[in-house]
Amino acid sequence: MTDISHAPQFDTGPLSWVIGEIREALGRSRSALAEAAERSGDARATSLQHAKTHLHQAHGALQMVDVEGVGLMTAAAEQALERMRDGSLDCGAPQRAAVSDGYQAVIEYLDELVAGAAPQPARLFPYYRALQELLGAARIHPSDLLFADLSVEVALAPHAHAGHAGPAAPDYAACRARFEKSLLPFLKSADPATQRGHVLALVDAIALVEQAQQEAPARTFWLAMRCFAELVASGQLASDLYVKQLFGLINLQIRRLSQGQGGLPEAMLRDALFFIAAASAPNAGAQLLRRAYGLAGLVPADYDSRRYGRIDAEALKTAKHALAQSKTGWDRMSSGLDVSLEAGFKQALATLAGASDRLGAPALAQLLRELGRAASDSIASGRSDQFNMEMAGAMLFVEQGLDQVRQLPADFDEHAEVVGARLLALAAGETPPAAPPWQGELSRQIQQGQTVAVLAGEMKTGLRQVEKVLDDYYADAARRPALAQIDTVLHQLQGALAILDQDQAMRAAQHVKDAVRALAAGSGDAGQQAASLQNIAQNVGALGFFIDMLAQNFDAAKNRFSFDQADGMFREVPFEKAPAGDTPFDVEPAAEPAAPQASAPAVAAPAPPMAQGAEAIEAELLDIFISEAQEVLALVAATLPAAHGEPSNQETLTMLRRSFHTLKGSGRMVGLTQFAEGGAALERVMNAWLAEGRSASPDLLALLDFAAADMRGWVDELAQHGRSARSSAALVAAAAVVQDGGAFALPAELTQEAPPVQDQEPEAEPEPELEAQHEPQPAPIDEREADAEVIDMTMPDEPFDIAEPDQPFDFAEPDFAPAPVALVAPAGGQVIEFPAARTVPLDDNMRRFGDLEIPLPLYNVYLAETDELMRVLTQDFGEWRHEPFRAVTPAALKAAHTLAGTSATVGFKA
């Protein structure tokens, strides 16, 4: 068994890239929610719609960086806002507070992750519970925030009955009677010692059930139930509502066994594993499960306590502003004895101390008062260089304290006392106490952080200049002379990385500098130059991502990237080792093209160009591209309504610019140069708009709408066929006109639809088989099902009627498909009928969703039809956003009606 007991590391890079946008979007949503409280009627609904739109932007960004647990928070908040908007939920103070507190919890939790804290989504539970209670959820449990793979196989000890015939029929009825005999006294008792005594009897009953299990999954399930009960019996778990609920569910499960019903509910297993993860001293069985499911460190002991929102955000903002004024004032005072500046300095310190009191940090407030007194006393004794240095160090210590004020270290008060005592002694002309070792190390770390922040800012500025020159050259090779201008910038970048002792990144910068020099000199043929440019662009993108991470976490960044001299590539090292030759792809690094596989000393050797159009693209890279492009385009679709509603919002336009930047790089990565050209054209337009701070014009918005729809269709074709014959010429031409101030219009000669992409030769008659789009082909159907008619489905002119079966479906019956069912298209259309009561192998010819099992033929029909229905609904809803007052269209009504019927047929009741 692989030991995965350690808590997984969290890659802060992608999150650090978007956390600013997330924080701002949630802030705007909170403001719009507050405005809604002051309005009524349509004005309130509009404010709530704005709040939902801003929240949706944050939700989309969170989905891209995949921070577990936070998406549940934002999804619940979005649902609450929607209900407030349609009037089904009150928009009163308690409801707004639940949403606003959820925002604050998300922001503070993300800040902790960026600062290096281990992911513990369960810390969000008090705020998640408040939102779910607001929505009237039927089940609310902290295990909803436990993200563990329940499909793993646990290496269990050999079964006691191995090699011997076990009991023919375990006496589950007796086990249940024994369990219930102790369950009721346990639930009624209020004395912890008495409760634990009753739980010991429950443990014995569960152990009997566990011993009767022969299959590994069932043994694992009941092992988890027993370990949970043992933790309660040992006093490690309090007998709260959630614990009592799980014991009640165990009783029901034993009753099902006594009635001959099987099943292993995942929700019960997850609940038990949650409590096992929260235990302070797990026993041997619990430790086995913690290792197998990777539970260590996932659940804090105080998961039910409100951790976030306890700090006065306004006081923290005031404190940081006053600290900045104090530092500026001290810098000017320390350069000369200008007494006139002292009053302002002391006033800033007083403001800072008052804010610290409001933050609940009395030791910090006391230190600030001592700083003010020391500054005054130092005038009489004369400020020494040592005093000036100590004061600067104290300011840095205060700054770090404010950064950690939500969870100050246990020794912070003691350290603050030492800092204050040394300053007061120096101000009085006395010899200060000896500086403890931690103070020197702290000063070194703080100074290093300042140095890194300054250099990182300079390096990012330089990389933006490099990227602009490279993009210009990519668009027009006649701009080759400009490449020589960035040699100095790359040399400075290399020097800054050397100062920071970042050897791998420095080697990458050296490689890029040499490659750009060769490109500027015109070395190599056209193919070599194109390959070299791809290599350079990929490395520049990776360096930018590295520098972002460097500014956030210096130590972590150093070990997260490496430079491969063999192929001249600077890559991020994944937390989990990938097979040799694999390239990790993160959200934003995908914004630059991929590199070829070989490199010469300066210019990368040409690699076979990736296919575009009719030729196939490497499947693995294409899958990555499609997945990322779909996510980015979903974010674009979610952001565009905000741009229409508030054209002057530069943050929204910046997010759209970044999205098209990512699409440009992703397209280049897999060789989709036409697609990449479209993204690059949109990026250039957005760059021009943002550079001048302009509001989005109707022509720009029309261009963005067209680009989003066009590129979405492009990606859909790639997902369906693995290739596309589309061209970006119309999009590029229209973008150029809008960029120059013209009106949005598509050139007539470039608006013809792309030729259809065919997977088979045109003259070949397609076989009458069902194909589920966007899904891998299912396993072959058992020969016993050869008599089943499976036909190709197309969207009818009228909705399907669902012919009622002769008897109701019973998906709980494991060995048989449901009774005959027919999907009938009106007006003499085709009928799809499945034979009744045929034996279906469970593994290959069933699809499971929780407790629901669907026969494969029925599932395939449902999947194919649903895919088309969802296309109809998605297109109609997209248009509806721009025409909110029009009536529902017949096509959307038909699609919704059909989708409801077919979903009910297969058992998807929700």
Side-chain angles (χ1 to χ4, degrees):
M1 180 181 62
T2 302
D3 181 5
I4 54 172
S5 59
H6 60 283
Q9 275 187 295
F10 178 75
D11 186 356
T12 61
L15 177 58
S16 65
W17 185 269
V18 298
I19 193 171
E21 284 87 349
I22 293 170
R23 186 181 292 108
E24 291 175 6
L26 291 178
R28 291 193 296 269
S29 181
R30 194 201 311 259
S31 298
L33 178 58
E35 290 174 1
E38 302 172 357
R39 300 178 178 180
S40 60
D42 292 343
R44 170 176 287 186
T46 300
S47 294
L48 289 169
Q49 181 60 45
H50 289 164
K52 182 184 173 185
T53 299
H54 293 309
L55 173 60
H56 195 74
Q57 292 176 6
H59 182 68
L62 285 166
Q63 287 182 316
M64 292 179 68
V65 297
D66 193 23
V67 182
E68 292 176 336
V70 180
L72 292 178
M73 293 284 295
T74 52
E78 190 169 344
Q79 188 177 357
L81 291 176
E82 176 60 26
R83 291 191 184 180
M84 290 180 193
R85 190 183 69 83
D86 64 23
S88 60
L89 181 66
D90 188 24
C91 188
Q95 291 78 11
R96 298 196 310 275
V99 175
S100 183
D101 289 351
Y103 289 175
Q104 189 63 31
V106 166
I107 291 169
E108 293 186 28
Y109 177 69
L110 296 178
D111 284 338
E112 287 183 347
L113 293 183
V114 171
Q120 293 180 312
R123 292 198 183 280
L124 297 167
F125 177 64
Y127 314 92
Y128 171 76
R129 176 174 55 200
L131 287 169
Q132 292 299 326
E133 289 173 347
L134 192 67
L135 296 171
R139 179 189 186 274
I140 309 171
H141 199 282
S143 69
D144 295 345
L145 295 168
L146 179 71
F147 296 87
D149 182 4
L150 302 186
S151 66
V152 300
E153 295 183 5
V154 180
L156 300 170
H159 200 289
H161 300 298
H164 305 281
D171 192 352
Y172 291 125
C175 291
R176 179 192 173 198
R178 185 171 180 176
F179 189 88
E180 289 184 338
K181 183 179 179 180
S182 298
L183 177 61
L184 187 59
F186 162 73
L187 295 176
K188 288 185 174 181
S189 176
D191 177 58
T194 304
Q195 284 182 333
R196 289 196 291 271
H198 292 307
V199 174
L200 286 173
L202 298 178
V203 170
D204 292 339
I206 295 172
L208 292 175
V209 177
E210 179 191 0
Q211 292 166 9
Q213 307 308 310
Q214 300 297 317
E215 301 296 329
R219 291 177 60 200
T220 300
F221 177 89
W222 287 103
L223 169 63
M225 300 304 125
R226 174 171 62 81
C227 290
F228 153 73
E230 289 173 344
L231 291 171
V232 178
S234 68
Q236 294 187 54
L237 296 176
S239 299
D240 60 12
L241 173 64
Y242 303 115
V243 166
K244 292 177 180 178
Q245 284 178 342
L246 184 51
F247 276 125
L249 291 173
I250 292 173
N251 182 45
L252 292 176
Q253 193 63 19
I254 298 176
R255 184 180 69 179
R256 293 190 185 101
L257 289 174
S258 69
Q259 296 172 347
Q261 300 177 5
L264 303 171
E266 281 193 357
M268 282 183 65
L269 178 59
R270 191 177 298 277
D271 290 354
L273 293 177
F274 179 88
F275 293 117
I276 290 170
S280 57
N283 56 25
Q287 289 179 6
L288 172 66
L289 293 171
R290 284 171 69 139
R291 287 194 299 270
Y293 291 104
L295 303 178
L298 290 185
V299 179
D302 61 346
Y303 69 87
D304 206 21
S305 301
R306 292 178 73 89
R307 174 186 180 92
Y308 307 114
R310 297 182 294 117
I311 297 299
D312 186 334
E314 191 60 34
L316 183 58
K317 181 179 179 180
T318 300
K320 291 191 172 184
H321 179 68
L323 175 62
Q325 291 181 320
S326 301
K327 290 171 66 177
T328 301
W330 178 253
D331 289 341
R332 295 173 62 187
M333 288 172 60
S334 61
S335 61
L337 295 178
D338 187 350
V339 181
S340 64
L341 297 173
E342 185 172 352
F345 172 70
K346 292 182 68 175
Q347 179 58 46
L349 285 180
T351 302
L352 184 50
S356 298
D357 279 329
R358 291 164 57 196
L359 291 170
L364 184 59
Q366 176 63 24
L367 172 59
L368 290 164
R369 284 188 281 268
E370 290 172 350
L371 295 188
R373 190 163 68 250
S376 297
D377 293 347
S378 66
I379 296 177
S381 61
R383 297 190 183 103
S384 64
D385 290 341
Q386 184 179 5
F387 180 84
N388 290 339
M389 291 178 62
E390 287 281 339
M391 179 63 83
M395 291 288 185
L396 294 174
F397 178 80
V398 171
E399 183 175 17
Q400 188 183 60
L402 288 178
D403 288 340
Q404 299 176 328
V405 72
R406 294 186 179 99
Q407 297 293 326
L408 285 172
D411 54 5
F412 181 83
D413 292 6
E414 176 188 346
H415 290 181
E417 186 177 348
V418 171
V419 172
R422 285 180 56 82
L423 269 173
L424 288 172
L426 285 169
E430 302 171 357
T431 301
W438 61 263
Q439 193 170 21
E441 176 62 20
L442 177 63
S443 296
R444 186 196 67 79
Q445 292 177 359
I446 294 173
Q447 290 169 4
Q448 181 191 62
Q450 287 188 320
T451 302
V452 170
V454 172
L455 289 177
E458 293 177 352
M459 289 189 289
K460 283 294 289 183
T461 300
L463 279 179
R464 282 193 289 269
Q465 182 180 350
V466 169
E467 187 178 29
K468 183 180 185 306
V469 172
L470 290 173
D471 273 346
D472 289 344
Y473 170 73
Y474 185 86
D476 184 1
R479 299 179 181 179
R480 184 188 303 273
L483 294 174
Q485 300 173 6
I486 59 176
D487 186 80
T488 302
V489 177
L490 291 169
H491 181 75
Q492 293 172 346
L493 173 64
Q494 184 182 352
L497 291 168
I499 291 173
L500 297 175
D501 193 27
Q502 299 294 329
D503 179 65
Q504 296 293 312
M506 183 181 66
R507 291 167 58 199
Q510 173 70 51
H511 171 81
V512 170
K513 184 175 70 172
D514 292 342
V516 170
R517 284 178 178 176
L519 199 62
S523 302
D525 58 25
Q528 288 177 316
Q529 291 176 14
S532 178
L533 183 59
Q534 283 194 339
N535 176 273
I536 292 168
Q538 178 70 3
N539 278 312
V540 168
L543 281 168
F545 193 51
F546 164 77
I547 291 169
D548 285 335
M549 184 181 290
L550 191 71
Q552 295 289 337
N553 192 327
F554 180 85
D555 294 326
K558 186 170 186 178
N559 299 318
R560 292 289 288 119
F561 287 79
S562 66
F563 179 70
D564 189 333
Q565 191 68 49
D567 61 5
M569 282 303 304
F570 187 56
R571 295 189 179 95
E572 185 179 7
V573 178
F575 282 115
E576 296 180 1
K577 289 185 178 179
D582 281 5
T583 303
F585 296 100
D586 289 277
V587 174
E588 193 60 23
E592 295 301 339
Q597 293 300 310
S599 65
V603 181
M610 304 203 73
Q612 169 93 16
E615 297 180 21
I617 298 170
E618 185 179 343
E620 183 178 358
L621 287 180
L622 182 60
D623 287 344
I624 293 170
F625 165 79
I626 291 172
S627 176
E628 291 186 347
Q630 286 173 338
E631 289 182 355
V632 174
L633 286 167
L635 179 61
V636 170
T639 307
L640 278 173
H644 280 275
E646 192 177 355
S648 62
N649 191 312
Q650 296 297 293
E651 290 83 359
T652 302
L653 298 183
T654 298
M655 188 174 291
L656 289 168
R657 178 262 174 203
R658 180 171 294 168
S659 297
F660 287 108
H661 173 84
T662 303
L663 292 170
K664 173 196 73 175
S666 300
R668 291 180 184 173
M669 183 195 310
V670 296
L672 290 169
T673 54
Q674 282 289 316
F675 185 91
E677 283 298 326
L682 266 294
E683 183 187 5
R684 287 193 292 271
V685 176
M686 300 308 295
N687 285 342
W689 239 263
L690 291 168
E692 300 175 10
R694 285 189 280 167
S695 298
S697 66
D699 289 303
L700 175 62
L701 293 172
L703 173 66
L704 292 171
D705 289 338
F706 170 76
D710 183 61
M711 299 181 93
R712 179 72 205 188
W714 206 324
V715 173
D716 287 344
E717 278 188 14
L718 291 168
Q720 184 175 358
H721 302 288
R723 52 182 164 239
S724 174
R726 286 179 179 247
S727 167
S728 63
L731 178 57
V732 171
V737 172
V738 173
Q739 183 176 349
D740 292 337
F744 168 73
L746 296 177
E749 68 275 12
L750 296 173
T751 54
Q752 292 84 4
E753 293 186 1
V757 178
Q758 296 178 336
D759 288 326
Q760 308 206 3
E761 295 185 12
E763 61 271 12
E765 188 68 24
E767 293 294 327
E769 63 179 8
L770 178 66
E771 179 183 350
Q773 298 180 1
H774 309 307
E775 289 285 327
Q777 289 298 317
I781 297 178
D782 190 275
E783 291 180 359
R784 288 169 292 183
E785 298 183 319
D787 58 335
E789 180 186 11
V790 184
I791 66 172
D792 187 27
M793 292 283 295
T794 56
M795 184 65 181
D797 293 332
E798 298 292 337
F800 285 106
D801 290 328
I802 308 301
E804 293 293 331
D806 296 334
Q807 54 184 331
F809 290 179
D810 184 7
F811 287 106
E813 184 66 30
D815 294 329
F816 296 95
V821 58
L823 301 182
V824 185
Q830 293 175 313
V831 177
I832 305 170
E833 186 170 354
F834 295 98
R838 293 176 290 109
T839 301
V840 179
L842 285 175
D843 291 335
D844 292 336
N845 292 310
M846 297 292 284
R847 287 292 182 266
R848 291 184 177 83
F849 302 88
D851 294 333
L852 176 65
E853 294 177 347
I854 304 176
L856 183 61
L858 182 61
Y859 169 77
N860 282 343
V861 172
Y862 174 75
L863 190 69
E865 183 176 359
T866 299
D867 182 80
E868 181 58 30
L869 294 172
M870 288 306 299
R871 288 179 184 275
V872 173
L873 288 171
T874 300
Q875 180 180 359
D876 186 78
F877 288 178
E879 296 171 356
W880 209 349
R881 291 189 183 98
H882 304 294
E883 303 174 275
F885 299 108
R886 72 162 166 81
V888 62
T889 64
L893 193 59
K894 288 180 186 177
H897 170 79
T898 307
L899 183 59
T902 55
S903 298
T905 299
V906 299
F908 281 127
K909 302 297 184 183

